[in-house]
């Protein structure tokens, strides 16, 4: 969620193809800020594994070890850049969001000063992030100088095809043409985003970490209610996750597996306790869990 990902989707009335949904109206983007975390020499207890409220299991779909082994970072100051939509953009939780928590973990675990530049924007789609990386000097310079880059993006690409599917307007014999087209475009944008970051970054031993998106709680509930959960999970999240794992593995980029932890092995686990009232954006506990997953993946 980087040019911000904040949309609220309201599902209503069971329709011709099993689901009906009203359009969303994204709120205004939140300002981005650069935070400087002071250097902290880690106490022995600081290196203990974080406590995670949900069971932390890295899924079997994670790329092969050689694709996720990260180089040793040796610089005294770590430049950390967060990219994405409203989730890394801290929508609804102020500063209590996963990039800030993760930056704090890094300084505890590594004993280095961490400079966080959060460039995530509420409502951003993959096409927006790609445009920033190609044309915005601020993004290009930040990525060029980064030692650590985290990416959380993609859910904002999905409202229109989901709405069309639920209204029976998606096209094709199974009413899924627009969904598949949108997922294909999103996957192509992910490839271009990762390639652009790799081309821009000039810092030795940079770690690039990209999360697979969890299915928001509001989707889980409504898709189940209207009988299209398994289908949309397969056609949207399954297809996106499969592509992301392959794309990251081919480029030596680290996959951060949030999907199975938040949504469960079958993807249908409800985790309302991790979300604010809109059931679309994580609360402080949800952000802490995501930061814990990033930390566990880093280690």
């Amino acid at each position: 969620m980087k040019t911000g990902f904040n949309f609220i989707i309201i599902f209503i009335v069971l329709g011709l193809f099993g689901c009906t949904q009203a359009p969303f109206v994204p709120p205004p983007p939140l300002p981005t800020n650069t935070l400087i975390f002071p250097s902290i020499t880690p106490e022995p207890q600081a290196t203990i594994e974080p406590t995670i409220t949900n069971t932390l299991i890295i899924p079997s779909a994670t790329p092969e070890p050689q694709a996720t082994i990260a180089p040793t970072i040796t610089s005294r100051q770590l430049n950390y850049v967060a990219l994405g939509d409203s989730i890394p953009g801290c929508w609804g939780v102020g500063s209590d969001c996963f990039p800030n928590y993760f930056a704090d973990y890094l300084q505890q675990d590594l004993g280095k000063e961490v400079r966080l530049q959060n460039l995530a924007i509420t409502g951003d789609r993959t096409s927006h992030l790609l445009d920033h990386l190609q044309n915005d000097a601020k993004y290009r310079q930040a990525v060029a100088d980064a030692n650590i880059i985290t990416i959380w993006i993609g859910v904002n690409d999905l409202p229109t095809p989901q709405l069309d599917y639920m209204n029976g307007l998606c096209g094709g014999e199974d009413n899924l043409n627009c969904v598949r087209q949108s997922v294909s475009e999103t996957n192509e944008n992910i490839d271009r985003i990762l390639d652009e970051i790799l081309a821009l970054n000039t810092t030795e031993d940079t770690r690039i970490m990209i999360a697979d998106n969890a299915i928001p709680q509001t989707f889980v509930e409504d898709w189940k209610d209207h009988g299209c959960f398994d289908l949309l999970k397969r056609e949207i999240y399954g297809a996106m996750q499969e592509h992301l794992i392959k794309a990251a593995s081919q480029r030596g980029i680290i996959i951060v597996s949030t999907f199975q932890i938040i949504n469960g092995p079958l993807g249908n686990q409800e985790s309302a306790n991790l979300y604010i009232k809109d059931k679309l954006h994580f609360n402080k506990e949800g952000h802490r869990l995501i930061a814990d997953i990033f930390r566990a993946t880093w280690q």
Side-chain angles (χ1 to χ4, degrees):
M1 316 173 179
K2 182 176 182 170
T3 295
F5 149 108
N6 187 39
F7 59 87
I8 300 177
I9 300 177
I10 304 174
F11 291 93
I12 59 173
V13 191
L14 179 61
L16 176 63
F17 287 87
C19 300
T20 306
Q21 174 183 13
F24 72 103
V25 179
L30 298 179
T32 58
N33 297 295
T34 297
L35 303 180
I36 304 295
F37 291 83
S39 179
I40 297 178
T41 302
E43 296 296 328
Q45 63 272 23
T47 59
I48 296 175
E49 291 293 327
T51 300
I52 301 177
T53 55
N54 289 23
T55 302
L56 185 61
I57 302 174
I58 304 301
S60 59
T62 302
E64 291 299 316
Q66 64 269 24
T68 59
I69 292 176
T72 301
I73 295 178
T74 58
S75 59
R76 294 181 61 185
Q77 174 180 288
L78 302 181
N79 294 320
Y80 167 24
V81 175
L83 302 173
D85 49 35
S86 57
I87 299 303
C90 309
W91 177 259
V93 291
S95 62
D96 294 306
C97 59
F98 89 79
N100 293 345
Y101 291 149
F102 186 49
D104 187 52
Y105 284 155
L106 289 172
Q107 66 181 21
Q108 290 178 39
D109 295 344
L110 303 176
K112 298 174 183 290
E113 179 181 324
V114 176
R115 177 181 182 270
L116 168 60
Q117 190 169 3
N118 193 337
L119 298 179
I121 301 177
T122 298
D124 256 6
R125 302 177 182 181
T126 55
S127 59
H128 297 143
L129 177 54
L130 178 61
D131 181 67
H132 299 326
L133 293 169
Q134 291 176 332
N135 300 302
D136 190 319
K138 177 176 66 176
Y139 284 79
R140 293 174 66 82
Q141 189 61 56
V143 168
D145 296 339
N147 305 103
I148 304 154
I149 299 170
T150 61
I151 310 163
W152 181 296
I153 194 75
V155 175
N156 285 328
D157 293 35
L158 307 176
T160 298
Q162 288 182 50
L163 178 61
D164 287 345
Y165 170 78
M166 293 172 189
N167 288 331
L169 303 173
C170 200
E173 293 183 0
D174 56 2
N175 186 40
L176 283 167
N177 280 4
C178 69
V179 169
R180 292 174 179 138
Q181 178 63 30
S182 179
V183 169
S184 177
E185 291 172 357
T186 296
N187 288 341
E188 181 179 347
N189 286 338
I190 289 294
D191 287 341
R192 297 174 67 187
I193 286 168
L194 297 182
D195 288 340
E196 193 70 29
I197 289 172
L198 290 172
L200 286 170
N201 185 258
T202 58
T203 304
E204 185 177 0
D205 297 338
T206 298
R207 292 192 186 190
I208 304 170
M209 309 178 76
I210 185 167
D212 60 352
N213 292 314
I215 305 176
Q217 176 66 16
T218 186
F219 291 3
V220 175
E221 292 180 2
D222 288 302
W223 292 358
K224 284 182 178 180
D225 288 344
H226 299 308
C228 51
F229 178 84
D230 289 338
L231 183 147
L232 292 181
K233 183 194 73 171
R234 180 185 73 244
E235 295 291 338
I236 296 176
Y237 284 89
M240 289 173 62
Q241 185 183 49
E242 180 181 0
H243 181 85
L244 182 63
I245 290 170
K246 180 179 179 180
S249 178
Q250 289 174 340
R251 294 165 174 83
I253 290 172
I254 302 169
I255 284 281
V256 181
S257 300
T258 67
F259 176 82
Q260 286 195 356
I261 296 171
I262 294 173
N263 295 113
L266 300 179
N268 60 358
Q269 175 176 294
E270 297 190 24
S271 303
N273 62 307
L274 299 177
Y275 291 85
I276 63 176
K277 290 182 179 180
D278 67 5
K279 299 182 182 180
L280 183 64
H281 297 92
F282 293 103
N283 58 22
K284 295 178 183 179
E285 182 181 353
H287 278 281
R288 178 67 73 178
L289 174 60
I290 293 169
D292 288 342
I293 298 170
F294 268 86
R295 186 188 203 183
T297 305
W298 174 282
Q299 295 173 342

